[in-house]
Amino acid sequence: MGLLWAITALLSWTTYAVGNSRSLVRLNTVSVHDWNFLMGLVTGAQAACLIPVALLSGHLDHDLMAWSWFVGVSAAVAVIASFFGNALWNKMSRLLPLTMTGQMILFETLFALIYGFLWEHRWPRPIEVAAFTLIVCSVMTCVSAHRKHHRPPNNAAMQSSQNGV
């Protein structure tokens, strides 16, 4: 079941990365800030649509302090992670080629893992370290391939070819 959810997440993020990048290119008159604001409004509206589902699910056995903490943390995540994270994501989407945009999910995964380990009060197991190391290596390989492909010519090589050497 976990593999199915992982594949679903991969498809979802790939669809988002490609669609967002194409939209930013197509709507070049919309600033990154405006696009980020619009994304935040839509995400907030989607979250608000889930409030009745949460209320009707029958899990209302928490006290007022627990709900206040939940609302506060959710608001902080919405402002800090969503607003600033989306702003950086959209800026990066305009600066990097599409094939690199999806690779930047690495950072979200890294911080999610760190948060999860802090939440569980434990260090990662060796298999978890190995898995994340392989993810980082795959992204670094992609970055290296792009760097080699888009490297500007060497000035010395240009001069020697112009001088007939």
Side-chain angles (χ1 to χ4, degrees):
M1 194 64 184
L3 181 60
L4 178 65
W5 286 117
I7 291 169
T8 303
L10 178 65
L11 291 173
S12 173
W13 273 113
T14 301
T15 302
Y16 172 77
V18 170
N20 189 60
S21 185
R22 287 182 178 165
S23 295
L24 283 168
V25 169
R26 189 175 62 245
L27 301 171
N28 59 2
T29 58
V30 177
S31 73
V32 171
H33 176 71
D34 291 343
W35 184 257
N36 185 44
F37 181 71
L38 293 171
M39 292 288 286
L41 286 177
V42 171
T43 304
Q46 289 174 336
C49 290
L50 291 175
I51 292 172
V53 174
L55 294 174
L56 295 174
S57 68
H59 300 291
L60 300 175
D61 55 349
H62 300 287
D63 63 1
L64 184 60
M65 186 63 178
W67 281 107
S68 299
W69 180 249
F70 173 73
V71 169
V73 168
S74 296
V77 167
V79 170
I80 295 168
S82 294
F83 186 76
F84 292 116
N86 277 338
L88 293 172
W89 179 272
N90 292 331
K91 185 70 173 173
M92 177 266 316
S93 291
R94 284 199 169 152
L95 295 174
L96 293 177
L98 180 58
T99 53
M100 281 302 301
T101 303
Q103 302 296 327
M104 295 301 110
I105 293 297
L106 169 75
F107 295 106
E108 183 172 336
T109 306
L110 171 66
F111 289 110
L113 285 170
I114 290 170
Y115 174 74
F117 294 134
L118 288 172
W119 181 264
E120 293 179 352
H121 303 289
R122 70 176 182 90
W123 289 98
R125 294 182 203 111
I127 191 76
E128 294 165 331
V129 172
F132 195 74
T133 301
L134 290 172
I135 291 172
V136 171
C137 289
S138 70
V139 171
M140 295 309 293
T141 302
C142 187
V143 169
S144 175
H146 276 279
R147 189 174 279 166
K148 288 177 187 172
H149 183 67
H150 296 291
R151 182 172 287 156
N154 185 337
N155 284 341
M158 282 182 56
Q159 288 175 351
S160 63
S161 67
Q162 290 174 349
N163 296 333
V165 178

